[in-house]
Amino acid sequence: MILNELKSHFRSPETPGSIFLSFEGIEGSGKTTQIKEIEKYVMERGYRTLTLREPGGTVFGEKLREAILESTEPLHPLAECHLFLASRAQLLKEKILPFLLVPKSVVILDRYIDSTLAYQGKARKLGYETILDLHKFNPLNLLPHRTYFLDISLETSMERQAARGSKKDYFESEKHEFYLHLIDGYREVATLFPERILKINANVKPDDLSANILKDLEQFL
Ligand code: TYD
């Protein structure tokens, strides 16, 4: 019930002709590849696109990104959470809201509020209510029209992370248990927002995954 009350504070953009999308999933879920495909597809259909990643996307946000991902000491979950929210509020003000006013535009976000729900709400144990409560106010209460949650298993994530082989950042060095909480968290969050979040099996080949996403996206174009 508390969740329903909190959900009532949220809204989707009411800017006819523009679309707000986000991609979510744990490390190795293939967000970057899929975002590139979607960008290409909507541009061919005459849309202007703006793709952004969180945290970051503004000068201030990139400083916060570094502060979090390169932190050498464990941050308090609330400190972590507020840094992500500060980056998000600035990104909304500087980039997302102005671009949504452009006719025939698509804003694509690589991570957004559902990352905070899964990572800080579930895995860092702050709770979904706390995270939603912190997003109650304008502009943080703006939700995408559609969120694609690319759902992969722990095994697929570990294999893909090992294949990349790059240096592990703050979250990538977490243990398996943390990732299991994240997977559970994302699946729970998808059930909290069933109209907005589409959970897609992403343990498949990238082409099959894009075909599924594009089939769904058609209704928004
Ligand atoms: P990034 O390198 O962008 O991750 P990826 O390539 O997997 O998308 O790093 C962002 C990290 O920050 C990622 O591990 C998820 C985490 N994160 C949160 O914990 N909470 C948030 O609200 C956001 C936006 C990201």
mmCIF file of all heavy atoms in Angstrom, residues 39-58:
data_model
loop_
_atom_site.group_PDB
_atom_site.id
_atom_site.type_symbol
_atom_site.label_atom_id
_atom_site.label_comp_id
_atom_site.label_asym_id
_atom_site.label_seq_id
_atom_site.Cartn_x
_atom_site.Cartn_y
_atom_site.Cartn_z
ATOM 1 N N GLU A 39 19.139 3.085 -31.489
ATOM 2 C CA GLU A 39 19.482 4.424 -32.002
ATOM 3 C C GLU A 39 19.425 4.424 -33.516
ATOM 4 O O GLU A 39 18.799 5.300 -34.124
ATOM 5 C CB GLU A 39 20.934 4.726 -31.614
ATOM 6 C CG GLU A 39 21.107 5.696 -30.521
ATOM 7 C CD GLU A 39 22.586 5.958 -30.285
ATOM 8 O OE1 GLU A 39 23.454 5.112 -30.590
ATOM 9 O OE2 GLU A 39 22.870 7.038 -29.751
ATOM 10 N N LYS A 40 20.094 3.436 -34.121
ATOM 11 C CA LYS A 40 20.157 3.343 -35.589
ATOM 12 C C LYS A 40 18.739 3.233 -36.160
ATOM 13 O O LYS A 40 18.368 3.933 -37.088
ATOM 14 C CB LYS A 40 20.977 2.101 -35.963
ATOM 15 C CG LYS A 40 21.716 2.232 -37.278
ATOM 16 C CD LYS A 40 22.708 1.107 -37.465
ATOM 17 C CE LYS A 40 21.970 -0.094 -38.039
ATOM 18 N NZ LYS A 40 22.641 -1.352 -37.966
ATOM 19 N N TYR A 41 17.955 2.381 -35.550
ATOM 20 C CA TYR A 41 16.610 2.106 -36.057
ATOM 21 C C TYR A 41 15.730 3.356 -36.010
ATOM 22 O O TYR A 41 15.072 3.698 -36.990
ATOM 23 C CB TYR A 41 15.989 0.983 -35.220
ATOM 24 C CG TYR A 41 14.643 0.534 -35.714
ATOM 25 C CD1 TYR A 41 14.524 -0.323 -36.802
ATOM 26 C CD2 TYR A 41 13.467 0.966 -35.091
ATOM 27 C CE1 TYR A 41 13.279 -0.736 -37.265
ATOM 28 C CE2 TYR A 41 12.219 0.560 -35.539
ATOM 29 C CZ TYR A 41 12.134 -0.292 -36.617
ATOM 30 O OH TYR A 41 10.902 -0.698 -37.069
ATOM 31 N N VAL A 42 15.734 4.042 -34.884
ATOM 32 C CA VAL A 42 14.837 5.204 -34.782
ATOM 33 C C VAL A 42 15.332 6.382 -35.632
ATOM 34 O O VAL A 42 14.522 7.141 -36.155
ATOM 35 C CB VAL A 42 14.541 5.637 -33.311
ATOM 36 C CG1 VAL A 42 13.814 4.563 -32.560
ATOM 37 C CG2 VAL A 42 15.781 6.078 -32.584
ATOM 38 N N MET A 43 16.642 6.482 -35.815
ATOM 39 C CA MET A 43 17.165 7.553 -36.678
ATOM 40 C C MET A 43 16.726 7.308 -38.120
ATOM 41 O O MET A 43 16.359 8.250 -38.828
ATOM 42 C CB MET A 43 18.691 7.644 -36.564
ATOM 43 C CG MET A 43 19.101 8.403 -35.309
ATOM 44 S SD MET A 43 20.814 8.188 -34.877
ATOM 45 C CE MET A 43 21.588 9.234 -36.075
ATOM 46 N N GLU A 44 16.738 6.042 -38.543
ATOM 47 C CA GLU A 44 16.264 5.713 -39.897
ATOM 48 C C GLU A 44 14.777 6.053 -40.063
ATOM 49 O O GLU A 44 14.311 6.292 -41.159
ATOM 50 C CB GLU A 44 16.464 4.216 -40.182
ATOM 51 C CG GLU A 44 17.897 3.874 -40.548
ATOM 52 C CD GLU A 44 18.196 2.382 -40.466
ATOM 53 O OE1 GLU A 44 17.242 1.578 -40.296
ATOM 54 O OE2 GLU A 44 19.371 2.023 -40.547
ATOM 55 N N ARG A 45 14.070 6.071 -38.933
ATOM 56 C CA ARG A 45 12.640 6.421 -38.986
ATOM 57 C C ARG A 45 12.410 7.925 -38.814
ATOM 58 O O ARG A 45 11.293 8.359 -38.575
ATOM 59 C CB ARG A 45 11.891 5.656 -37.881
ATOM 60 C CG ARG A 45 11.998 4.143 -37.993
ATOM 61 C CD ARG A 45 11.016 3.604 -39.010
ATOM 62 N NE ARG A 45 9.660 3.803 -38.579
ATOM 63 C CZ ARG A 45 8.920 2.895 -37.928
ATOM 64 N NH1 ARG A 45 9.421 1.709 -37.688
ATOM 65 N NH2 ARG A 45 7.696 3.173 -37.565
ATOM 66 N N GLY A 46 13.483 8.705 -38.870
ATOM 67 C CA GLY A 46 13.362 10.160 -38.854
ATOM 68 C C GLY A 46 13.357 10.799 -37.472
ATOM 69 O O GLY A 46 13.024 11.987 -37.340
ATOM 70 N N TYR A 47 13.739 10.074 -36.436
ATOM 71 C CA TYR A 47 13.797 10.656 -35.078
ATOM 72 C C TYR A 47 15.184 11.206 -34.798
ATOM 73 O O TYR A 47 16.181 10.689 -35.300
ATOM 74 C CB TYR A 47 13.486 9.586 -34.023
ATOM 75 C CG TYR A 47 12.021 9.253 -33.918
ATOM 76 C CD1 TYR A 47 11.449 8.313 -34.778
ATOM 77 C CD2 TYR A 47 11.213 9.874 -32.981
ATOM 78 C CE1 TYR A 47 10.099 7.998 -34.693
ATOM 79 C CE2 TYR A 47 9.871 9.574 -32.891
ATOM 80 C CZ TYR A 47 9.318 8.635 -33.746
ATOM 81 O OH TYR A 47 7.991 8.340 -33.651
ATOM 82 N N ARG A 48 15.230 12.243 -33.957
ATOM 83 C CA ARG A 48 16.517 12.705 -33.430
ATOM 84 C C ARG A 48 16.726 11.984 -32.105
ATOM 85 O O ARG A 48 15.767 11.792 -31.351
ATOM 86 C CB ARG A 48 16.491 14.213 -33.198
ATOM 87 C CG ARG A 48 16.396 14.967 -34.523
ATOM 88 C CD ARG A 48 16.322 16.437 -34.278
ATOM 89 N NE ARG A 48 17.549 16.931 -33.639
ATOM 90 C CZ ARG A 48 17.702 18.197 -33.266
ATOM 91 N NH1 ARG A 48 16.730 19.062 -33.424
ATOM 92 N NH2 ARG A 48 18.830 18.596 -32.720
ATOM 93 N N THR A 49 17.966 11.586 -31.831
ATOM 94 C CA THR A 49 18.191 10.815 -30.601
ATOM 95 C C THR A 49 19.198 11.498 -29.680
ATOM 96 O O THR A 49 20.089 12.219 -30.132
ATOM 97 C CB THR A 49 18.743 9.396 -30.912
ATOM 98 O OG1 THR A 49 19.998 9.550 -31.565
ATOM 99 C CG2 THR A 49 17.790 8.591 -31.773
ATOM 100 N N LEU A 50 19.028 11.233 -28.401
ATOM 101 C CA LEU A 50 20.009 11.658 -27.399
ATOM 102 C C LEU A 50 20.216 10.459 -26.482
ATOM 103 O O LEU A 50 19.268 9.996 -25.839
ATOM 104 C CB LEU A 50 19.467 12.841 -26.586
ATOM 105 C CG LEU A 50 20.368 13.310 -25.447
ATOM 106 C CD1 LEU A 50 21.653 13.942 -25.993
ATOM 107 C CD2 LEU A 50 19.639 14.338 -24.572
ATOM 108 N N THR A 51 21.449 9.945 -26.487
ATOM 109 C CA THR A 51 21.745 8.779 -25.643
ATOM 110 C C THR A 51 22.663 9.217 -24.508
ATOM 111 O O THR A 51 23.660 9.905 -24.738
ATOM 112 C CB THR A 51 22.400 7.670 -26.488
ATOM 113 O OG1 THR A 51 21.468 7.300 -27.490
ATOM 114 C CG2 THR A 51 22.732 6.449 -25.650
ATOM 115 N N LEU A 52 22.297 8.835 -23.300
ATOM 116 C CA LEU A 52 23.044 9.261 -22.122
ATOM 117 C C LEU A 52 23.271 8.082 -21.194
ATOM 118 O O LEU A 52 22.471 7.151 -21.180
ATOM 119 C CB LEU A 52 22.229 10.314 -21.361
ATOM 120 C CG LEU A 52 21.862 11.576 -22.137
ATOM 121 C CD1 LEU A 52 20.675 12.279 -21.477
ATOM 122 C CD2 LEU A 52 23.055 12.507 -22.218
ATOM 123 N N ARG A 53 24.360 8.165 -20.420
ATOM 124 C CA ARG A 53 24.581 7.093 -19.449
ATOM 125 C C ARG A 53 24.545 7.662 -18.041
ATOM 126 O O ARG A 53 24.893 8.818 -17.814
ATOM 127 C CB ARG A 53 25.921 6.394 -19.700
ATOM 128 C CG ARG A 53 27.085 7.285 -19.391
ATOM 129 C CD ARG A 53 28.388 6.541 -19.326
ATOM 130 N NE ARG A 53 29.448 7.503 -19.025
ATOM 131 C CZ ARG A 53 30.726 7.229 -19.038
ATOM 132 N NH1 ARG A 53 31.120 6.019 -19.340
ATOM 133 N NH2 ARG A 53 31.615 8.135 -18.727
ATOM 134 N N GLU A 54 24.140 6.815 -17.136
ATOM 135 C CA GLU A 54 24.137 7.214 -15.722
ATOM 136 C C GLU A 54 25.062 6.297 -14.923
ATOM 137 O O GLU A 54 25.085 5.090 -15.206
ATOM 138 C CB GLU A 54 22.737 7.063 -15.158
ATOM 139 C CG GLU A 54 21.843 8.221 -15.455
ATOM 140 C CD GLU A 54 20.811 8.392 -14.340
ATOM 141 O OE1 GLU A 54 20.812 7.610 -13.374
ATOM 142 O OE2 GLU A 54 20.030 9.302 -14.443
ATOM 143 N N PRO A 55 25.748 6.804 -13.905
ATOM 144 C CA PRO A 55 25.826 8.226 -13.595
ATOM 145 C C PRO A 55 26.682 8.936 -14.638
ATOM 146 O O PRO A 55 27.522 8.308 -15.267
ATOM 147 C CB PRO A 55 26.503 8.235 -12.224
ATOM 148 C CG PRO A 55 27.319 6.992 -12.183
ATOM 149 C CD PRO A 55 26.564 5.997 -12.994
ATOM 150 N N GLY A 56 26.474 10.238 -14.797
ATOM 151 C CA GLY A 56 27.272 11.024 -15.727
ATOM 152 C C GLY A 56 26.402 11.802 -16.683
ATOM 153 O O GLY A 56 25.252 12.101 -16.392
ATOM 154 N N GLY A 57 26.972 12.124 -17.850
ATOM 155 C CA GLY A 57 26.215 12.806 -18.902
ATOM 156 C C GLY A 57 26.236 14.323 -18.827
ATOM 157 O O GLY A 57 25.836 14.992 -19.764
ATOM 158 N N THR A 58 26.682 14.876 -17.690
ATOM 159 C CA THR A 58 26.899 16.331 -17.568
ATOM 160 C C THR A 58 28.283 16.498 -16.934
ATOM 161 O O THR A 58 28.834 15.525 -16.387
ATOM 162 C CB THR A 58 25.861 16.997 -16.619
ATOM 163 O OG1 THR A 58 26.037 16.433 -15.305
ATOM 164 C CG2 THR A 58 24.430 16.781 -17.072
#
